[in-house]
Amino acid sequence: NPLSVTVFRCFGNNLLYASGASISATRFVNCSSGGSGGAVQVSTDSSASPDEMIEVSIFNSTFEGCVSADSGGAVAASGSFLLLSVHYSTLYHGRATNSGGGIAIESGVDCALEYVSFIENQADGLGGGGLLVSDSNIFVDNIVASLNSAAQGGGGMLLVKGGSSVLTATMGNVVNLLALGSSDPMFLIQIESICSGVGNIAAYGLCVASPFHELQVTRNQTNTVYSGIVFTVHITKRDLFGQVIVSDSESILQASVVTASLFPDNSVSLAGTMVASLIAGQTSFALSVIPTFRDVDWTHRTATALRHPLIYFHGLDAEGGGETVMVTMTSSAVVIPVAENVSVCPVGYILFIDSKSQGSCKMCSEGTYSIDPLAGMMENTPSCFRCPSNCICPGGSRVTFELGTWV
């Protein structure tokens, strides 16, 4: 090798570059830091100006066994008007207590990584076994990530947080895969193509992952629900790339009924399991809704809900890694269509309207029956009919005649 190689073994304090710098043909061995960047930390402050862009380049260098007590086991960069470029370099056996076992890019940095390898790096906090990108812009080309690990998400290469923009080079063309936090549906497939190594480990997202992005709500029943009768809703905590965040078994979620403006909806009563804990990023709620009914006309067999309930799920996420940050988790408001008119309740039930005009389906008890939820023995009052003589009525709509009797 015609290049001379400088070897650094640094302990206690990392190398801090507050202005432009160039590192070439250098080995950083077993460097450690009580903060971010076990070997190299680059940062700007509020006095930074776009007219004085700080540029730091790392070329043909290796980082071996570097450790930080925060983010960026080997290299950490943060701040606006800062350009960090890393070319033809390798980071291995790095470890970060927080995120980014190899490199951490945060708070507005512009970064370019070309022909960089992340091998056997580890992130013990939020994630990003090889690389953390947070609220920054990064260009990547010919990246290899193998045998990296993250306690939570993004084992192999990348943990994307906040309004980050990720670019990748494909056949000489630059393709924008992610901009300002809005995901491209093909992003995960495309970004994994540059995570070309093997053996990466993470709780979720072996190659790429993000922290919480959304609570996905699904129902077993795709049709309408009956007022006052329990139905099941499944909640899944997902990251920006649609992956289940299985590392969360602690967060607690709550269900509420709301208006379209997300204010409490007093026209609907909600009952059932309204608080539930996530287990491996998932949970279920057993709920029932009791809406207000309007235009109830027993003669014409009509019963219409004032509005179909909206259910909203929310909670707090203790985002770990370094200093714990509480993040609000919310779902979109999900419309729960309730049955109306002659189908307002299942056969064997009647619609009971309370003093607040809220209606719920009540099953006919033993000794009674019903085949019409809006019919009753008295006009304008749905009720269950008494069981006929010489018959057996176990409840609901069932009526069984005794053998050997006349009806």
Side-chain angles (χ1 to χ4, degrees):
N1 190 340
L3 293 175
S4 62
V5 177
T6 304
V7 179
F8 285 101
R9 290 179 174 84
C10 38
F11 303 92
N13 295 319
N14 55 333
L15 299 181
L16 175 62
Y17 292 94
S19 60
S22 178
I23 300 171
S24 180
T26 303
R27 289 178 61 200
F28 293 86
V29 181
N30 296 331
C31 298
S32 63
S33 169
S36 294
V40 175
Q41 181 189 24
V42 189
S43 63
T44 59
D45 56 26
S46 58
S47 64
S49 167
D51 298 327
E52 299 178 359
M53 193 79 171
I54 295 175
E55 298 185 14
V56 176
S57 66
I58 299 174
F59 180 82
N60 193 32
S61 296
T62 61
F63 297 81
E64 309 166 26
C66 297
V67 178
S68 78
D70 198 344
S71 293
V75 178
S78 63
S80 301
F81 315 120
L82 172 60
L83 173 61
L84 172 67
S85 58
V86 183
H87 306 275
Y88 297 95
S89 296
T90 301
L91 303 96
Y92 62 92
H93 293 150
R95 184 169 184 173
T97 300
N98 193 348
S99 302
I103 299 177
I105 308 299
E106 302 179 273
S107 304
V109 174
D110 292 318
C111 180
L113 303 180
E114 295 184 284
Y115 295 92
V116 177
S117 298
F118 297 88
I119 311 295
E120 295 186 352
N121 298 286
Q122 178 177 335
D124 298 330
L126 189 59
L131 173 66
L132 164 71
V133 180
S134 177
D135 293 301
S136 298
N137 303 312
I138 186 169
F139 170 87
V140 293
D141 185 18
N142 284 282
I143 303 299
V144 174
S146 297
L147 304 175
N148 301 285
S149 64
Q152 295 191 42
M157 174 189 164
L158 181 64
L159 175 70
V160 175
K161 290 180 60 182
S164 299
S165 175
V166 179
L167 309 173
T168 185
T170 305
M171 300 297 291
N173 297 317
V174 175
V175 181
N176 189 358
L177 298 181
L178 183 70
L180 301 178
S182 61
S183 60
D184 183 316
M186 292 298 293
F187 175 78
L188 184 59
I189 297 174
Q190 294 172 353
I191 200 71
E192 283 183 337
S193 69
I194 62 171
C195 203
S196 57
V198 296
N200 298 301
I201 299 172
Y204 68 98
L206 298 184
C207 176
V208 58
S210 82
F212 166 76
H213 176 64
E214 66 174 351
L215 294 176
Q216 184 182 66
V217 182
T218 56
R219 286 198 299 129
N220 283 344
Q221 308 92 335
T222 56
N223 53 349
T224 57
V225 303
Y226 296 111
S227 300
I229 295 181
V230 172
F231 59 94
T232 302
V233 176
H234 299 286
I235 309 295
T236 306
K237 179 182 178 183
R238 295 187 181 274
D239 73 352
L240 184 64
F241 313 107
Q243 301 168 126
V244 179
I245 302 179
V246 298
S247 57
D248 192 344
S249 294
E250 298 180 356
S251 297
I252 297 175
L253 301 179
Q254 180 177 346
S256 303
V257 285
V258 295
T259 65
S261 301
L262 299 185
F263 291 110
D265 187 354
N266 296 323
S267 72
V268 180
S269 293
L270 183 66
T273 308
M274 290 181 286
V275 177
S277 298
L278 287 173
I279 304 297
Q282 303 182 69
T283 192
S284 295
F285 287 80
L287 301 169
S288 64
V289 291
I290 304 174
T292 296
F293 278 82
R294 61 177 176 84
D295 299 333
V296 178
D297 187 331
W298 311 115
T299 303
H300 296 90
R301 298 291 190 268
T302 59
T304 307
L306 177 64
R307 55 176 164 266
H308 293 291
L310 292 172
I311 298 185
Y312 173 73
F313 298 90
H314 52 99
L316 291 177
D317 178 22
E319 195 172 273
E323 182 179 352
T324 299
V325 177
M326 301 304 295
V327 177
T328 300
M329 297 186 294
T330 60
S331 73
S332 57
V334 179
V335 178
I336 304 298
V338 293
E340 298 176 309
N341 301 319
V342 293
S343 301
V344 68
C345 295
V347 175
Y349 289 72
I350 57 99
L351 179 65
F352 172 77
I353 303 293
D354 65 15
S355 59
K356 298 186 295 182
S357 297
Q358 292 185 339
S360 58
C361 297
K362 304 292 184 183
M363 183 178 180
C364 292
S365 60
E366 184 177 0
T368 64
Y369 74 98
S370 173
I371 57 173
D372 185 342
L374 299 180
M377 298 179 66
M378 297 178 61
E379 187 177 0
N380 294 336
T381 306
S383 62
C384 299
F385 292 93
R386 290 191 297 269
C387 192
S389 300
N390 301 319
C391 293
I392 300 172
C393 298
S397 61
R398 293 180 59 192
V399 178
T400 303
F401 299 103
E402 294 182 354
L403 294 176
T405 59
W406 294 92
V407 178

